[in-house]
Amino acid sequence: MPNKTENYRFGLSTLHAWIRFFEYCLHLAYRLEFKTWQVRAINKKAFNNRKQLIQNKIRSELGLLVDVVLQGHGTTNDGNTARKFFRNAEISANCTGLNVELIQQCGNILSAMASGMTINIDYFEEYCLKTAKMFVTLYPWYYMPRVCIKCKVSEEAQESRNKDYKQYREHNTRKNSRLNTNEDLLHILLISSDPYISSIRNVSKQNEHELSDDVKKLLIIPESDEDEESDINQSFSEITLTD
């Protein structure tokens, strides 16, 4: 089934984007000493030493355990770790040796994507292009992975529904038969995942106050709840619903 690109206006899953950009910054920092994409045998020792140094600094300065393999569970790199890394750009830059402005701009882009608010497309595009050019200028020897270019949207949505599945099954389904239970479960999952219903949810005003001025420039923040509802309804009315 082809993607309905018009639904992208309702938002993107951003958890993996946080993690992938965070890991990109880490892997770039590990190679700053010899400045090559590929880690050859001659540079292996320098790579491992710098990786250990950066891990120790981040753990000491930010209290984060990064890039440590967990048996059967991937690594310690998760969304909370990535958000704290970008939120404390100056400390992160000091730990990794990366350009602080670059870390700040990546954090601003990710924060805007995760805000739940309407993005100022023109300014956002210009800002992203500026950030990409900065990457190329500062670190031309390290290629940006495709998962960062695409701001990866993957199995995150499915993973995030696991807790909802348990809650809905317990509190929102009939228990008189398996058929009725599964039918009610599918109905509530379809309703709660509908892009339009998700788009008209109330965005926490607390989140708005936590956004920096730079992030707010990337967004279209309505002056009142009535303006926000009007914008959403107008956006939805422009969509042509097809089977």
Side-chain angles (χ1 to χ4, degrees), residues 16-243:
H16 283 198
W18 283 98
I19 297 173
R20 299 302 172 239
F21 269 89
F22 170 55
E23 291 180 338
Y24 171 77
C25 290
L26 287 180
H27 296 162
L28 172 59
Y30 297 158
R31 294 166 168 79
L32 281 180
E33 187 171 328
F34 48 89
K35 297 182 180 180
T36 60
W37 166 268
Q38 189 174 10
V39 181
R40 301 183 182 277
I42 192 175
N43 298 321
K44 193 68 175 178
K45 183 177 180 180
F47 176 87
N48 291 332
N49 289 341
R50 183 166 178 80
K51 178 179 180 179
Q52 186 65 51
L53 177 64
I54 291 174
Q55 287 176 318
N56 291 339
K57 280 188 174 182
I58 292 178
R59 185 171 186 177
S60 174
E61 298 292 330
L62 293 173
L64 299 174
L65 193 63
V66 302
D67 249 4
V68 176
V69 177
L70 300 175
Q71 191 66 31
H73 297 283
T75 69
T76 54
N77 300 336
D78 57 19
N80 291 330
T81 299
R83 281 185 284 268
K84 188 171 183 179
F85 176 87
F86 287 108
R87 193 176 296 121
N88 298 276
E90 292 186 4
I91 299 177
S92 299
N94 181 58
C95 293
T96 59
L98 298 178
N99 181 278
V100 61
E101 186 178 355
L102 191 60
I103 296 177
Q104 288 173 337
Q105 289 187 196
C106 286
N108 292 338
I109 291 171
L110 292 165
S111 294
M113 290 172 57
S115 67
M117 302 179 187
T118 303
I119 291 178
N120 185 336
I121 299 298
D122 293 334
Y123 188 76
F124 186 79
E125 181 180 6
E126 179 183 347
Y127 194 85
C128 289
L129 184 59
K130 175 184 175 183
T131 304
K133 289 181 177 179
M134 185 181 296
F135 265 116
V136 174
T137 302
L138 293 174
Y139 311 107
W141 45 268
Y142 191 76
Y143 307 111
M144 182 174 288
R146 183 172 299 178
V147 291
C148 288
I149 297 173
K150 295 172 65 177
C151 285
K152 181 178 180 180
V153 181
S154 60
E155 69 279 4
E156 174 194 342
Q158 180 179 343
E159 293 173 359
S160 66
R161 300 294 280 174
N162 290 336
K163 61 180 182 298
D164 294 335
Y165 174 89
K166 296 177 182 178
Q167 179 180 348
Y168 294 156
R169 192 179 190 281
E170 180 178 358
H171 300 289
N172 300 91
T173 62
R174 292 168 290 174
K175 307 299 190 300
N176 56 346
S177 73
R178 290 186 179 181
L179 180 62
N180 288 337
T181 298
N182 289 330
E183 181 181 358
D184 293 344
L185 182 60
L186 286 174
H187 286 167
I188 191 65
L189 286 172
L190 287 171
I191 292 172
S192 61
S193 63
D194 183 270
Y196 174 65
I197 293 177
S198 298
S199 71
I200 62 176
R201 76 189 190 282
N202 292 325
V203 178
S204 173
K205 297 300 181 183
Q206 180 179 359
N207 292 339
E208 179 180 329
H209 296 316
E210 291 176 352
L211 299 176
S212 68
D213 292 337
D214 288 335
V215 175
K216 289 180 180 179
K217 291 178 182 178
L218 301 174
L219 304 170
I220 300 175
I221 302 178
E223 296 181 0
S224 65
D225 294 339
E226 289 76 11
D227 293 340
E228 182 176 11
E229 183 176 355
S230 176
D231 290 342
I232 292 172
N233 289 334
Q234 181 178 359
S235 174
F236 183 69
S237 66
E238 296 172 356
I239 300 175
T240 302
L241 300 178
T242 57
D243 293 335

